Amino acid sequence: MSNLNQRGVRALLYPRNVVIVGASERRGSWARQVWANLTRFGYPHPIYPVNPRHQEVWGVPCYPEVGALPEPPDHLVVVVPADQAIQVVEQAAAQGARSATIFASGFGEEGSPEGKERRRRLEEVIARTGIAVSGPNCLGNLSAPARLVTLTETRLREVESGPVAIVGQSGGLVMALNRTLNDRGMAAAYMVTSGNEIGLKTADYLGFFAEEQAIRVILLFSETIADRDAFLTALDKAREAGKPVVAIKIGGSEAGRRAALAHTGALAGSVAAFDAVTRDRGLIRVDTLDEMIELAEYFAHACLPQGPGIGCITFSGGLKGLILENAHRLNVNLPPLADATESRLRQILGIGTSLGNPLDSGFTG
């Protein structure tokens, strides 16, 4: 995770213009959906469609190539096949583009020699030009503060700068998480579908979000960690900033590792190894999306806990019993209340209460 990569993430999420390469009027095309989201949610800077087969799309002029634009390109949305995508990125970087998102697959995730060669060529272009690339094999990104929505999502209801940032190698899961957050009254300020991560890596996004003051919690769906040391450095940065990282990591089963290999070409390491290197760095690994949503809601509204003990207040004796049984089963520490606290509560609370931790406050509560 270098300062150069951090500047690359900023260029990706706060571009001066957006160039959609592969613009098409075809109903259901990803290019058309990206255009619809950018215009619908008020992206405030120029948007340029590029396709040599059209002079006009979506009611605006369409340019034959990146070099024909009225100003230098800044961010490219590349919605063309894999072979063409490499050439487009190289040409745009020569014209001054700082970042690009490549949607196409075919960069080695299927294991073919042709795909591996494409990956090598794209890596070479990125290294030589310095352009920041998200993807390939992804579904776009969202930066609410910049009103930037290059996602292909058709069900996005609103764009609001909330306390959550999401990074995931699965675009579908990232968007599903966001929909559930919205149902809970929360918003993701940033959503990155990182795909194969040939260019920018999970560590780069984590390091960037750790510095974003409005972000309170970072959600991560990972199939593989490309750069272990950079990832651990980013986790340390997030921990120092007081921002918990909640992660789901594929690799707990052989079937999961095979699925990751087929999806992004990632050699997903074991969950045990992942836990061993992240346990002391503030990362919270969960097994389900439900757990991730619950923790996101907690951290979006509550302070980080300062120790292992918790206190509970309820209004039901039955619920108090359930809490006690679950706490015992899960080794959750419910420290006893101080004598002075119990004495004062006894004065305040009437009949139908049960003192202690959990506190059943009854009708008075």
Side-chain angles (χ1 to χ4, degrees):
M1 182 187 62
S2 66
N3 290 333
L4 178 63
N5 286 353
Q6 295 295 279
R7 291 197 297 272
V9 176
R10 182 162 291 280
L12 178 79
L13 297 177
Y14 289 86
R16 294 187 283 262
N17 62 50
V18 174
V19 181
I20 304 176
V21 181
S24 170
E25 291 279 11
R26 181 171 56 85
R27 188 176 299 277
S29 73
W30 282 355
R32 182 172 178 169
Q33 187 55 45
V34 170
W35 165 267
N37 281 338
L38 286 168
T39 53
R40 174 187 171 195
F41 295 112
Y43 177 68
H45 303 298
I47 309 168
Y48 300 113
V50 170
N51 189 326
R53 292 178 294 180
H54 300 289
Q55 293 184 327
E56 181 179 295
V57 292
W58 313 319
V60 299
C62 184
Y63 299 88
E65 60 182 20
V66 173
L69 300 178
E71 64 174 318
D74 194 38
H75 175 64
L76 269 72
V77 172
V78 185
V79 196
V80 296
D83 277 328
Q84 298 175 37
I86 299 171
Q87 183 179 8
V88 165
V89 169
E90 186 171 25
Q91 292 174 347
Q95 297 288 330
R98 296 184 300 157
S99 66
T101 297
I102 301 176
F103 286 66
S105 58
F107 289 87
E109 64 276 355
E110 79 289 0
S112 72
E114 297 82 6
K116 292 178 180 179
E117 174 59 17
R118 288 191 200 100
R119 181 185 182 100
R120 186 201 63 77
R121 287 167 50 204
L122 181 57
E123 288 174 336
E124 189 275 328
V125 168
I126 292 170
R128 176 163 45 83
T129 65
I131 190 169
V133 171
S134 66
N137 190 20
C138 71
L139 295 178
N141 308 304
L142 177 147
S143 170
R147 312 300 297 175
L148 175 81
V149 186
T150 61
L151 294 167
T152 59
E153 170 71 281
T154 60
R155 291 170 286 182
L156 201 60
R157 298 196 296 264
E158 59 184 358
V159 172
E160 181 183 344
S161 292
V164 183
I166 310 174
V167 184
Q169 290 187 269
S170 166
L173 276 181
V174 167
M175 290 187 279
L177 279 169
N178 182 64
R179 288 193 293 272
T180 307
L181 287 173
N182 291 164
D183 290 341
R184 296 288 188 94
M186 291 181 289
Y190 300 99
M191 296 165 57
V192 173
T193 70
S194 61
N196 293 9
E197 298 190 1
I198 291 178
L200 293 169
K201 308 290 191 291
T202 293
D204 302 315
Y205 302 118
L206 288 182
F208 179 84
F209 296 140
E211 294 182 346
E212 290 292 284
Q213 188 171 1
I215 296 301
R216 292 180 61 91
V217 57
I218 303 167
L219 307 184
L220 169 65
F221 178 85
S222 175
E223 295 181 359
T224 188
I225 301 301
D227 187 331
R228 173 186 177 276
D229 292 341
F231 181 67
L232 295 180
T233 298
L235 286 180
D236 288 340
K237 192 174 181 180
R239 182 178 58 180
E240 291 166 6
K243 301 181 191 300
V245 177
V246 182
I248 292 178
K249 173 70 172 69
I250 294 296
S253 68
E254 183 57 36
R257 287 190 284 272
R258 287 197 301 270
L261 187 63
H263 180 217
T264 62
L267 292 171
S270 74
V271 168
F274 182 80
D275 288 345
V277 297
T278 61
R279 184 176 294 116
D280 297 328
R281 284 183 155 87
L283 181 138
I284 305 167
R285 186 182 63 78
V286 297
D287 295 317
T288 69
L289 297 177
D290 289 335
E291 291 175 286
M292 179 171 275
I293 291 294
E294 295 296 337
L295 281 169
E297 185 166 20
Y298 173 82
F299 286 125
H301 299 294
C303 298
L304 284 169
Q306 299 302 305
I310 66 169
C312 302
I313 303 176
T314 180
F315 56 86
S316 162
L319 187 54
K320 175 173 180 170
L322 281 175
I323 292 171
L324 285 167
E325 290 198 0
N326 279 285
H328 175 74
R329 180 171 57 86
L330 297 170
N331 296 316
V332 171
N333 182 22
L334 294 169
L337 300 180
D339 291 342
T341 303
E342 285 216 15
S343 176
R344 181 66 178 133
L345 286 171
R346 192 171 289 108
Q347 298 172 26
I348 297 171
L349 300 174
I351 297 173
T353 63
S354 175
L355 299 183
N357 182 19
L359 170 67
D360 172 14
S361 60
F363 290 111
T364 308

